[in-house]
């Protein structure tokens, strides 16, 4: 289920012309703030970890520019990073002697769903997080309704 096929209640898109290590803290803060606005605080920690992993992969393996999408679903959130490099990452269980390659595997284990969608130019790497059962009731002040777009 790529981000494009998810029914979003709200979304926040952030164009990052250059991904740099020093901007990742600000992006995590933006994600945390948006999740709190939607009343999805319990997902902040894993969402921030996932965003860091997605952006680190863009920094290391792609051209450095991307678009980050954070979308609200009825039961949680979906996060996707779209970049313009055609190489597709694989979330495989790393061996003990591999120096890297653990981030996407860890994310694939923490998220309810994880995937990579090839595009005409580039790809979208995404994950979906769900609230604990019963925690997805609408909070006061939380945007509601299909098609409601949140802009950052």
């Amino acid at each position: 289920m790529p981000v494009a096929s998810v029914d979003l209640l709200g979304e926040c898109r952030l164009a990052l012309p250059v991904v740099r290590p020093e901007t990742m803290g600000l992006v995590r803060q933006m994600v945390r703030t948006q999740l709190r606005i939607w009343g999805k605080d319990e997902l902040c920690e894993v969402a921030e970890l996932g965003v860091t992993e997605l952006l680190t992969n863009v920094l290391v393996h792609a051209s450095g520019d991307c678009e980050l999408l954070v979308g609200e679903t009825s039961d949680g959130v979906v996060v996707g990073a779209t970049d313009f490099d055609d190489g597709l990452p694989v979330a495989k269980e790393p061996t003990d002697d591999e120096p890297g390659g653990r981030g996407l595997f860890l994310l694939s284990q923490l998220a309810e769903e994880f995937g990579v969608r090839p595009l005409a130019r580039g790809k979208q790497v995404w994950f979906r997080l769900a609230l604990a059962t019963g925690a997805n009731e609408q909070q006061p002040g939380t945007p509601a309704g299909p098609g409601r777009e949140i802009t950052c």
Side-chain angles (χ1 to χ4, degrees), residues 15-89:
L16 297 164
V18 178
V19 176
R20 294 189 304 255
E22 59 270 16
T23 61
M24 288 197 201
L26 293 171
V27 174
R28 283 191 301 268
Q29 183 178 8
M30 183 274 303
V31 170
R32 182 180 332 114
T33 300
Q34 191 63 58
L35 293 183
R36 287 181 175 161
I37 288 169
W38 289 333
K40 314 253 191 226
D41 302 46
E42 73 178 74
L43 301 177
C44 285
E45 192 173 308
V46 176
E48 289 179 56
L49 173 72
V51 165
T52 301
E53 179 55 31
L54 295 182
L55 294 182
T56 298
N57 281 350
V58 170
L59 177 67
V60 172
H61 302 291
S63 64
D65 60 329
C66 73
E67 179 183 69
L68 183 70
L69 166 69
V70 181
E72 179 187 23
T73 64
S74 61
D75 70 340
V77 296
V78 63
V79 177
T82 302
D83 67 53
F84 304 102
D85 183 86
D86 292 329
L88 301 178

Coordinates of all heavy atoms in Angstrom, one line a residue, residues 15-89:
A15 N 9.2 20.0 1.1 CA 10.2 19.9 0.0 C 11.5 20.2 0.6 O 11.7 21.3 1.2 CB 9.9 20.8 -1.1
L16 N 12.5 19.3 0.4 CA 13.8 19.5 1.0 C 14.8 19.5 -0.2 O 15.2 18.4 -0.7 CB 14.2 18.3 1.9 CG 13.3 18.3 3.2 CD1 13.5 16.9 3.9 CD2 13.7 19.4 4.1
P17 N 15.2 20.7 -0.7 CA 16.0 20.8 -1.9 C 17.4 20.1 -1.6 O 18.0 19.6 -2.5 CB 16.2 22.2 -2.2 CG 15.5 23.0 -1.1 CD 14.8 22.0 -0.2
V18 N 17.8 20.1 -0.4 CA 19.1 19.5 0.0 C 18.9 18.9 1.4 O 18.5 19.6 2.3 CB 20.3 20.5 0.0 CG1 21.5 19.8 0.5 CG2 20.5 21.1 -1.3
V19 N 19.2 17.6 1.5 CA 19.1 17.0 2.8 C 20.5 17.0 3.4 O 21.5 16.6 2.8 CB 18.7 15.5 2.7 CG1 18.7 14.8 4.1 CG2 17.3 15.4 2.1
R20 N 20.6 17.6 4.6 CA 21.9 17.8 5.3 C 21.7 17.3 6.8 O 20.6 17.4 7.3 CB 22.4 19.2 5.3 CG 22.7 19.7 4.0 CD 23.4 21.1 4.0 NE 22.6 22.1 4.8 CZ 21.9 23.1 4.2 NH1 21.9 23.2 2.9 NH2 21.2 23.9 4.9
P21 N 22.7 16.7 7.4 CA 22.6 16.3 8.7 C 22.1 17.3 9.7 O 21.3 17.1 10.6 CB 24.0 15.8 9.1 CG 24.7 15.5 7.8 CD 24.1 16.5 6.8
E22 N 22.5 18.6 9.5 CA 22.1 19.6 10.4 C 20.6 20.0 10.3 O 20.1 20.7 11.2 CB 23.0 20.9 10.3 CG 23.1 21.5 8.9 CD 24.1 20.9 8.0 OE1 24.7 19.8 8.3 OE2 24.4 21.6 7.0
T23 N 20.0 19.6 9.3 CA 18.5 20.0 9.1 C 17.6 18.9 9.7 O 16.4 19.1 9.8 CB 18.2 20.2 7.7 OG1 18.4 19.1 6.9 CG2 18.9 21.4 7.1
M24 N 18.2 17.7 9.9 CA 17.3 16.6 10.4 C 16.6 16.8 11.7 O 15.5 16.4 11.9 CB 18.1 15.3 10.4 CG 18.4 14.8 9.0 SD 18.9 13.1 9.0 CE 19.8 13.1 7.5
G25 N 17.2 17.5 12.6 CA 16.6 17.8 13.9 C 15.4 18.7 13.7 O 14.3 18.5 14.3
L26 N 15.5 19.7 12.8 CA 14.3 20.6 12.5 C 13.2 19.8 11.8 O 12.0 20.0 12.1 CB 14.8 21.7 11.6 CG 15.7 22.7 12.2 CD1 16.3 23.7 11.2 CD2 15.1 23.5 13.4
V27 N 13.5 18.9 10.9 CA 12.5 18.1 10.3 C 11.8 17.2 11.3 O 10.6 17.0 11.3 CB 13.1 17.3 9.1 CG1 12.0 16.3 8.5 CG2 13.6 18.2 8.0
R28 N 12.6 16.5 12.2 CA 12.0 15.7 13.2 C 11.0 16.5 14.1 O 10.0 16.1 14.5 CB 13.1 15.1 14.1 CG 13.7 13.9 13.4 CD 14.6 13.1 14.4 NE 15.6 13.9 15.0 CZ 16.9 14.1 14.6 NH1 17.2 13.4 13.4 NH2 17.7 14.8 15.2
Q29 N 11.4 17.8 14.4 CA 10.6 18.7 15.2 C 9.3 19.0 14.5 O 8.2 19.0 15.1 CB 11.4 19.9 15.6 CG 10.6 20.9 16.4 CD 11.4 22.1 16.8 OE1 12.5 22.3 16.3 NE2 10.9 22.9 17.7
M30 N 9.4 19.2 13.2 CA 8.2 19.5 12.4 C 7.2 18.3 12.4 O 6.0 18.4 12.6 CB 8.6 19.8 10.9 CG 7.4 20.2 10.0 SD 6.5 18.8 9.2 CE 7.8 18.0 8.3
V31 N 7.8 17.1 12.2 CA 7.0 15.9 12.3 C 6.3 15.7 13.6 O 5.1 15.4 13.7 CB 7.8 14.6 11.9 CG1 7.1 13.3 12.2 CG2 8.3 14.7 10.5
R32 N 7.1 15.9 14.7 CA 6.6 15.8 16.1 C 5.4 16.8 16.3 O 4.4 16.4 16.8 CB 7.7 16.0 17.1 CG 7.3 15.9 18.5 CD 8.4 16.1 19.5 NE 9.7 15.9 19.0 CZ 10.7 16.8 18.8 NH1 10.5 18.0 19.1 NH2 11.9 16.4 18.3
T33 N 5.6 18.0 15.9 CA 4.6 19.0 16.0 C 3.3 18.7 15.3 O 2.2 18.8 15.8 CB 5.1 20.4 15.5 OG1 6.3 20.7 16.3 CG2 4.1 21.5 15.6
Q34 N 3.5 18.2 14.0 CA 2.3 17.8 13.2 C 1.5 16.7 13.9 O 0.3 16.7 13.9 CB 2.7 17.5 11.8 CG 1.5 17.3 10.9 CD 0.7 18.6 10.7 OE1 1.3 19.7 10.3 NE2 -0.5 18.6 11.0
L35 N 2.3 15.7 14.4 CA 1.6 14.5 15.0 C 0.9 15.0 16.2 O -0.2 14.5 16.5 CB 2.6 13.4 15.3 CG 3.2 12.7 14.1 CD1 4.1 11.6 14.5 CD2 2.2 12.2 13.1
R36 N 1.4 15.9 17.0 CA 0.7 16.4 18.2 C -0.5 17.2 17.8 O -1.5 17.1 18.5 CB 1.7 17.3 19.0 CG 2.7 16.4 19.7 CD 3.7 17.2 20.6 NE 4.5 16.3 21.3 CZ 5.7 16.6 21.8 NH1 6.1 17.9 21.7 NH2 6.4 15.7 22.4
I37 N -0.5 18.0 16.7 CA -1.6 18.7 16.3 C -2.8 17.7 16.0 O -3.9 18.0 16.2 CB -1.3 19.6 15.0 CG1 -0.4 20.7 15.4 CG2 -2.6 20.0 14.3 CD1 0.2 21.5 14.3
W38 N -2.4 16.6 15.4 CA -3.4 15.6 15.0 C -3.8 14.7 16.2 O -4.6 13.8 16.1 CB -2.9 14.7 13.9 CG -2.8 15.3 12.6 CD1 -3.6 16.4 12.1 CD2 -1.9 15.0 11.5 NE1 -3.2 16.7 10.8 CE2 -2.2 15.9 10.4 CE3 -0.9 14.1 11.3 CZ2 -1.5 15.8 9.2 CZ3 -0.2 14.0 10.1 CH2 -0.5 14.9 9.1
G39 N -3.2 14.9 17.4 CA -3.5 14.0 18.5 C -2.9 12.7 18.4 O -3.4 11.7 19.0
K40 N -1.8 12.5 17.7 CA -1.2 11.2 17.5 C 0.2 11.2 18.2 O 1.2 10.6 17.7 CB -1.0 10.9 16.1 CG -2.2 11.2 15.2 CD -2.9 10.0 14.8 CE -4.0 10.4 13.7 NZ -5.2 9.8 14.0
D41 N 0.3 11.8 19.4 CA 1.5 11.9 20.2 C 2.3 10.6 20.4 O 3.5 10.5 20.3 CB 1.3 12.5 21.5 CG 0.6 13.9 21.5 OD1 -0.3 14.0 20.7 OD2 1.1 14.8 22.1
E42 N 1.5 9.5 20.6 CA 2.1 8.2 20.9 C 3.0 7.7 19.8 O 3.8 6.8 20.0 CB 1.1 7.2 21.4 CG 0.2 6.7 20.2 CD -0.8 5.6 20.6 OE1 -1.8 6.0 21.3 OE2 -0.5 4.5 20.4
L43 N 2.8 8.2 18.6 CA 3.5 7.7 17.4 C 4.8 8.6 17.1 O 5.6 8.2 16.2 CB 2.6 7.8 16.2 CG 1.4 6.9 16.3 CD1 0.5 7.1 15.0 CD2 1.7 5.5 16.5
C44 N 5.0 9.6 17.9 CA 6.1 10.6 17.6 C 7.5 9.9 17.6 O 8.3 10.1 16.7 CB 6.1 11.7 18.7 SG 4.8 12.9 18.4
E45 N 7.8 9.1 18.6 CA 9.1 8.5 18.7 C 9.5 7.6 17.5 O 10.5 7.8 16.9 CB 9.2 7.7 20.0 CG 10.6 7.3 20.4 CD 10.7 6.7 21.8 OE1 10.1 7.3 22.7 OE2 11.2 5.6 21.9
V46 N 8.6 6.7 17.2 CA 8.9 5.8 16.0 C 8.8 6.6 14.7 O 9.7 6.4 13.8 CB 7.9 4.6 16.0 CG1 8.2 3.8 14.8 CG2 8.1 3.8 17.3
A47 N 7.9 7.6 14.6 CA 7.9 8.4 13.4 C 9.1 9.2 13.2 O 9.7 9.3 12.1 CB 6.6 9.3 13.4
E48 N 9.7 9.8 14.3 CA 10.9 10.5 14.2 C 12.1 9.6 13.8 O 12.9 10.0 13.0 CB 11.2 11.3 15.5 CG 10.2 12.4 15.8 CD 10.5 13.1 17.1 OE1 11.7 13.5 17.3 OE2 9.6 13.2 17.9
L49 N 12.1 8.5 14.4 CA 13.2 7.5 14.0 C 13.1 7.1 12.5 O 14.1 7.1 11.8 CB 13.0 6.2 14.9 CG 14.0 5.1 14.5 CD1 15.4 5.4 14.9 CD2 13.5 3.8 15.1
G50 N 11.8 6.9 12.1 CA 11.6 6.5 10.7 C 12.0 7.7 9.7 O 12.6 7.4 8.7
V51 N 11.6 8.9 10.1 CA 12.0 10.0 9.2 C 13.5 10.2 9.2 O 14.1 10.4 8.1 CB 11.3 11.3 9.8 CG1 11.9 12.6 9.2 CG2 9.8 11.3 9.5
T52 N 14.2 10.0 10.3 CA 15.6 10.1 10.3 C 16.2 9.0 9.4 O 17.2 9.3 8.6 CB 16.2 9.9 11.7 OG1 15.6 10.9 12.5 CG2 17.7 10.0 11.7
E53 N 15.7 7.8 9.4 CA 16.2 6.8 8.5 C 16.0 7.1 7.1 O 16.8 6.9 6.2 CB 15.6 5.4 8.9 CG 16.1 4.3 8.1 CD 17.6 4.1 8.0 OE1 18.3 4.4 9.0 OE2 18.1 3.7 6.9
L54 N 14.8 7.5 6.7 CA 14.4 7.8 5.3 C 15.3 8.9 4.8 O 15.9 8.8 3.7 CB 13.0 8.2 5.2 CG 11.9 7.2 5.5 CD1 10.5 7.7 5.3 CD2 12.1 5.9 4.7
L55 N 15.5 10.0 5.6 CA 16.3 11.1 5.1 C 17.8 10.8 5.1 O 18.5 11.2 4.2 CB 16.1 12.3 6.0 CG 14.7 12.9 6.0 CD1 14.6 14.2 6.8 CD2 14.3 13.2 4.5
T56 N 18.3 9.9 6.0 CA 19.7 9.5 6.0 C 19.9 8.7 4.7 O 21.0 8.9 4.0 CB 20.0 8.6 7.2 OG1 19.8 9.4 8.4 CG2 21.4 8.1 7.1
N57 N 19.0 7.9 4.3 CA 19.1 7.1 3.0 C 19.2 8.0 1.8 O 19.9 7.8 0.9 CB 18.0 6.1 2.9 CG 18.3 4.8 3.7 OD1 19.4 4.7 4.2 ND2 17.3 4.0 3.8
V58 N 18.4 9.1 1.8 CA 18.4 10.1 0.8 C 19.8 10.8 0.7 O 20.4 10.9 -0.3 CB 17.3 11.2 0.9 CG1 17.5 12.3 -0.1 CG2 15.9 10.5 0.7
L59 N 20.3 11.1 1.9 CA 21.6 11.8 2.0 C 22.7 10.9 1.5 O 23.6 11.4 0.7 CB 21.8 12.2 3.5 CG 23.2 12.8 3.8 CD1 23.3 14.2 3.2 CD2 23.3 12.9 5.3
V60 N 22.7 9.6 1.9 CA 23.8 8.7 1.5 C 23.7 8.1 0.1 O 24.7 8.0 -0.6 CB 23.9 7.6 2.6 CG1 24.9 6.5 2.2 CG2 24.2 8.2 4.0
H61 N 22.4 7.8 -0.3 CA 22.3 7.0 -1.5 C 21.6 7.8 -2.7 O 21.6 7.2 -3.8 CB 21.4 5.8 -1.2 CG 22.0 4.9 -0.2 ND1 23.2 4.2 -0.4 CD2 21.6 4.6 1.1 CE1 23.5 3.5 0.7 NE2 22.6 3.8 1.6
A62 N 21.1 9.0 -2.5 CA 20.4 9.7 -3.5 C 21.1 11.0 -3.7 O 22.1 11.3 -3.2 CB 18.9 9.8 -3.2
S63 N 20.4 11.9 -4.5 CA 21.0 13.2 -4.9 C 20.9 14.2 -3.8 O 21.6 15.2 -3.8 CB 20.2 13.7 -6.1 OG 18.9 14.0 -5.8
G64 N 20.2 13.9 -2.7 CA 20.1 14.8 -1.6 C 18.9 15.7 -1.6 O 18.6 16.4 -0.6
D65 N 18.0 15.7 -2.6 CA 16.8 16.4 -2.6 C 15.6 15.4 -2.5 O 15.7 14.3 -3.1 CB 16.7 17.4 -3.7 CG 16.7 16.8 -5.1 OD1 17.3 15.7 -5.2 OD2 16.0 17.3 -6.0
C66 N 14.6 15.8 -1.8 CA 13.4 14.9 -1.7 C 12.2 15.7 -1.2 O 12.3 16.9 -0.9 CB 13.7 13.8 -0.7 SG 13.8 14.2 1.0
E67 N 11.1 15.0 -1.2 CA 9.9 15.5 -0.6 C 9.5 14.5 0.5 O 9.4 13.3 0.3 CB 8.8 15.6 -1.6 CG 7.5 16.2 -1.0 CD 6.3 16.3 -2.0 OE1 5.8 15.2 -2.4 OE2 5.9 17.4 -2.3
L68 N 9.1 15.1 1.6 CA 8.7 14.3 2.8 C 7.2 14.5 2.9 O 6.7 15.7 2.9 CB 9.4 14.7 4.1 CG 9.1 13.9 5.3 CD1 9.6 12.5 5.2 CD2 9.6 14.6 6.5
L69 N 6.4 13.4 3.0 CA 5.0 13.5 3.2 C 4.7 12.9 4.6 O 5.1 11.7 4.8 CB 4.2 12.8 2.1 CG 2.8 12.5 2.4 CD1 1.9 13.7 2.4 CD2 2.2 11.5 1.4
V70 N 3.9 13.6 5.4 CA 3.4 13.0 6.6 C 1.9 13.1 6.5 O 1.4 14.2 6.4 CB 3.9 13.8 7.9 CG1 3.4 13.2 9.2 CG2 5.4 13.8 7.9
G71 N 1.2 12.0 6.5 CA -0.2 12.0 6.3 C -0.9 11.4 7.5 O -0.5 10.4 8.1
E72 N -2.1 11.9 7.8 CA -2.9 11.4 8.9 C -3.9 10.4 8.3 O -4.6 10.7 7.3 CB -3.7 12.6 9.6 CG -4.6 12.1 10.7 CD -5.5 13.2 11.3 OE1 -5.7 14.2 10.6 OE2 -5.9 13.0 12.4
T73 N -4.0 9.3 8.9 CA -5.0 8.3 8.6 C -6.0 8.1 9.7 O -5.7 8.6 10.8 CB -4.4 6.9 8.2 OG1 -3.7 6.4 9.4 CG2 -3.3 7.0 7.1
S74 N -7.0 7.4 9.5 CA -8.0 7.2 10.6 C -7.4 6.5 11.8 O -7.9 6.7 12.9 CB -9.3 6.5 10.1 OG -8.9 5.2 9.6
D75 N -6.4 5.6 11.6 CA -5.9 4.9 12.7 C -4.4 5.1 13.0 O -3.8 4.4 13.8 CB -6.1 3.4 12.4 CG -5.2 2.8 11.3 OD1 -4.7 3.7 10.5 OD2 -4.9 1.6 11.3
G76 N -3.9 6.2 12.4 CA -2.4 6.5 12.6 C -1.9 7.5 11.6 O -2.5 8.5 11.3
V77 N -0.7 7.2 11.2 CA 0.0 8.1 10.2 C 0.7 7.2 9.2 O 1.0 6.1 9.4 CB 1.0 9.0 10.9 CG1 0.3 10.0 11.8 CG2 2.1 8.3 11.6
V78 N 1.0 7.9 8.0 CA 1.8 7.3 7.0 C 2.9 8.4 6.7 O 2.6 9.6 6.6 CB 1.0 6.8 5.8 CG1 0.3 8.0 5.1 CG2 1.9 6.1 4.8
V79 N 4.1 7.9 6.5 CA 5.2 8.8 6.2 C 5.9 8.3 5.0 O 6.2 7.1 4.9 CB 6.2 8.9 7.4 CG1 7.4 9.8 7.0 CG2 5.5 9.4 8.6
G80 N 6.2 9.2 4.0 CA 6.9 8.8 2.8 C 8.0 9.8 2.4 O 7.7 11.0 2.6
A81 N 9.1 9.3 1.9 CA 10.1 10.2 1.3 C 10.3 9.8 -0.1 O 10.5 8.7 -0.5 CB 11.4 10.0 2.1
T82 N 10.1 10.8 -1.0 CA 10.3 10.7 -2.4 C 11.5 11.3 -2.9 O 11.8 12.5 -2.6 CB 9.1 11.3 -3.2 OG1 7.9 10.7 -2.7 CG2 9.2 11.1 -4.7
D83 N 12.4 10.6 -3.5 CA 13.6 11.1 -4.1 C 13.8 10.8 -5.5 O 12.9 10.1 -6.1 CB 14.9 10.7 -3.3 CG 15.2 9.2 -3.4 OD1 15.3 8.7 -4.5 OD2 15.3 8.6 -2.3
F84 N 14.8 11.2 -6.2 CA 14.9 11.1 -7.6 C 16.0 10.2 -8.1 O 16.4 10.2 -9.2 CB 15.0 12.5 -8.3 CG 13.9 13.4 -7.8 CD1 14.1 14.3 -6.8 CD2 12.7 13.2 -8.4 CE1 13.0 15.1 -6.4 CE2 11.6 14.0 -8.0 CZ 11.8 14.9 -7.0
D85 N 16.4 9.3 -7.2 CA 17.4 8.3 -7.5 C 16.6 7.0 -7.8 O 15.7 6.6 -7.1 CB 18.4 8.1 -6.3 CG 19.5 7.1 -6.7 OD1 20.5 7.5 -7.3 OD2 19.3 5.9 -6.3
D86 N 17.0 6.3 -8.9 CA 16.3 5.1 -9.3 C 16.7 3.8 -8.5 O 16.0 2.8 -8.5 CB 16.5 4.8 -10.8 CG 15.8 5.8 -11.6 OD1 14.8 6.4 -11.2 OD2 16.4 6.1 -12.7
G87 N 17.8 3.9 -7.7 CA 18.2 2.7 -6.9 C 17.1 2.4 -5.8 O 16.7 3.3 -5.1
L88 N 16.7 1.1 -5.7 CA 15.7 0.8 -4.7 C 16.3 0.1 -3.5 O 17.1 -0.9 -3.7 CB 14.7 -0.2 -5.4 CG 13.9 0.3 -6.6 CD1 13.0 -0.8 -7.1 CD2 13.2 1.6 -6.3
P89 N 16.1 0.6 -2.3 CA 16.6 0.0 -1.1 C 15.9 -1.3 -0.8 O 14.8 -1.5 -1.2 CB 16.4 1.1 0.0 CG 15.1 1.8 -0.5 CD 15.2 1.8 -2.0

